[in-house]
Amino acid sequence: NSDLILYVNLELINRKSNRRYVVQEMLGQGTFGQVAKCWDTETSSYVAVKVIKNQPAFYQQAIMEVSLLSLLNEKFDPDDQHHIVRMLDFFLYQNHLCIAFEMLGHNLYELLKRNSLRGLQMKYVRTFSRQILDALIVMKDAGIIHCDLKPENILIAPTVKTAAGVKVIDFGSACMEGKTIYSYIQSRYYRSPEVLLGYPYTTAIDMWSFGCIVAELFIGLPLFPGASEYDVLCRMIEILGGQPPDDLLREAKNTGRFFKHVGSIYPGSEARNGTGSAYRILSEDEIEARESMRPKVGRWYFPRGRLDRLIFTYPWKNLSEENLPETEKADCLALVDFLRGLVEFDPNK
Ligand code: ADP
Ligand code: MG
């Protein structure tokens, strides 16, 4: 992509290794490679270096990560105010593309685990949400879709001047809006309806994942921890009390995998099911009949129910809506309202 490559100084890629970075310990491992905590001998500070697997597909996508992050850092957030990780350097080392980032802290999944998956206090949910949203606004302005927003890809940022801060990382799956290539994107729990159903996607898919993250920060467990894509869709329908709009179902490529057409194909026909939709989700038995769709045993066992129930009476709080103090009740109501705007089936909304 010529617009983007402008932002990648190819000379830097060809720079010979000068032993600038000394590996201290491994920080994390992902699909794209490994991340090491390194001592930067030039600046006398720690940095996080992502070492990309030396296979062409990973290299290509990592070049995209470098391009999109340069664009975001330099053109859209020059003063580092919008909670997006800073890229410091990139180079080739023994045929591995390496990307150096500012050193950040634990990711939000680790934070939730440390908190025994009991969720964070509302004040932290609010602060983190505002900051992630700030990053998403900048990404939307830049026309960049992150495509893998999840707690593992949001890191505590100790350097942020406020008491608690986060930054969005991992643009390794990101792409430009209108130049989408892949259809199998996003981590399953955070996968948007349009991606599940195979419908052209926009930056709205990040907003869906963001909604899932906000709920998870408060509840402590994923909102839609489906063991399969079908399971994720069933949980959405149950928790949100609705289903994707017919326009989307009619045009999406994968609708037939999950839904049965029960209405008439003729416009104006009244033969619709009880919900007024021309489609209904397949039953467990119908899904069972399709070998490849059989759900595997899930990681989470989570009480099912409507969104407001989950927020008001999630298992750890041991409270019911009735005995919640007034301020907490108002906070929960506001959170449910906020979430409703985010986990919205219709991408246009
Ligand atoms: P992948 O694309 O393989 O998922 P990520 O960029 O998400 O790679 O990095 C994998 C993990 O490494 C992250 O979830 C995080 O725990 C850790 N990590 C990545 N970048 C940093 C950083 N800048 N500072 C500290 N830890 C990091
Ligand atoms: Mg990651």
Side-chain angles (χ1 to χ4, degrees):
N1 183 323
S2 55
D3 313 346
L4 291 169
I5 292 301
L6 285 178
Y7 292 97
V8 181
N9 184 342
L10 288 168
E11 271 174 37
L12 270 179
I13 284 206
N14 292 319
R15 172 164 61 72
K16 286 222 164 55
S17 146
N18 58 10
R19 301 189 180 275
R20 174 173 170 181
Y21 303 103
V22 183
V23 175
Q24 306 277 314
E25 60 178 283
M26 299 317 291
L27 288 171
Q29 196 154 2
T31 35
F32 286 93
Q34 300 187 35
V35 179
K37 178 179 179 178
C38 295
W39 179 252
D40 180 351
T41 55
E42 237 167 66
T43 60
S44 293
S45 58
Y46 287 110
V47 294
V49 178
K50 185 164 169 177
V51 182
I52 307 294
K53 288 177 189 166
N54 61 353
Q55 293 160 23
F58 292 109
Y59 177 85
Q60 282 308 323
Q61 193 52 40
I63 289 287
M64 188 61 110
E65 176 167 15
V66 169
S67 310
L68 297 177
L69 251 187
S70 323
L71 181 67
L72 282 171
N73 281 180
E74 290 165 28
K75 298 285 163 188
F76 287 87
D77 184 20
D79 299 321
D80 189 11
Q81 290 179 326
H82 297 294
H83 306 279
I84 295 169
V85 67
R86 303 306 280 189
M87 182 175 67
L88 306 174
D89 191 10
F90 56 91
F91 51 93
L92 267 185
Y93 182 74
Q94 297 187 354
N95 230 11
H96 289 273
L97 182 63
C98 301
I99 313 174
F101 299 100
E102 65 175 317
M103 183 68 206
L104 298 169
H106 287 292
N107 68 50
L108 289 188
Y109 177 58
E110 289 165 339
L111 184 74
L112 287 174
K113 266 198 301 193
R114 282 171 159 235
N115 206 15
S116 315
L117 302 172
R118 275 155 200 262
L120 308 179
Q121 286 177 42
M122 192 68 93
K123 63 175 177 178
Y124 294 115
V125 176
R126 200 178 276 131
T127 305
F128 293 168
S129 298
R130 189 180 287 127
Q131 294 180 357
I132 301 165
L133 202 47
D134 188 10
L136 285 176
I137 290 167
V138 171
M139 283 152 56
K140 185 179 166 52
D141 287 346
I144 290 172
I145 318 178
H146 185 285
C147 295
D148 196 19
L149 216 58
K150 57 179 174 179
E152 287 92 328
N153 286 337
I154 297 162
L155 267 51
I156 302 290
T159 50
V160 172
K161 283 180 192 67
T162 50
V166 292
K167 282 194 162 190
V168 173
I169 68 156
D170 194 358
F171 289 76
S173 307
C175 66
M176 293 295 289
E177 206 168 33
K179 292 180 182 163
T180 56
I181 302 168
Y182 305 105
S183 56
Y184 192 69
I185 49 164
Q186 301 187 294
S187 297
R188 197 194 313 121
Y189 300 169
Y190 310 91
R191 196 169 292 154
S192 58
E194 54 269 45
V195 170
L196 282 168
L197 293 164
Y199 184 80
Y201 57 88
T202 62
T203 49
I205 65 168
D206 287 337
M207 208 49 84
W208 178 278
S209 305
F210 172 59
C212 300
I213 295 168
V214 174
E216 182 168 346
L217 291 181
F218 186 69
I219 302 170
L221 292 173
L223 185 59
F224 305 125
S228 64
E229 291 199 308
Y230 168 72
D231 193 14
V232 169
L233 259 174
C234 288
R235 285 168 189 265
M236 288 176 182
I237 289 168
E238 184 174 332
I239 288 172
L240 301 178
Q243 66 179 36
D246 273 19
D247 288 352
L248 197 157
L249 291 172
R250 196 177 311 114
E251 281 162 40
K253 278 203 321 278
N254 309 332
T255 299
R257 284 196 207 159
F258 311 105
F259 287 86
K260 195 174 169 68
H261 191 266
V262 291
S264 169
I265 54 168
Y266 303 107
S269 162
E270 298 304 314
R272 296 283 158 109
N273 72 3
T275 64
S277 168
Y279 301 85
R280 71 156 171 80
I281 188 98
L282 295 174
S283 69
E284 297 245 357
D285 286 347
E286 286 166 326
I287 279 289
E288 273 289 313
R290 303 179 180 194
E291 184 67 34
S292 63
M293 301 292 289
R294 210 163 280 169
K296 298 176 203 81
V297 176
R299 252 208 300 169
W300 309 101
Y301 296 92
F302 197 67
R304 325 264 296 236
R306 291 293 173 89
L307 183 65
D308 49 357
R309 289 270 108 201
L310 287 185
I311 295 300
F312 273 104
T313 63
Y314 64 104
W316 315 110
K317 283 284 158 85
N318 234 349
L319 287 168
S320 70
E321 201 171 333
E322 293 72 47
N323 62 24
L324 262 186
E326 280 305 316
T327 48
E328 275 198 47
K329 204 166 166 176
D331 276 353
C332 286
L333 275 174
L335 180 58
V336 171
D337 183 51
F338 184 49
L339 288 172
R340 284 242 161 244
L342 296 171
V343 280
E344 161 61 58
F345 277 122
D346 186 348
N348 295 317
K349 291 188 185 164

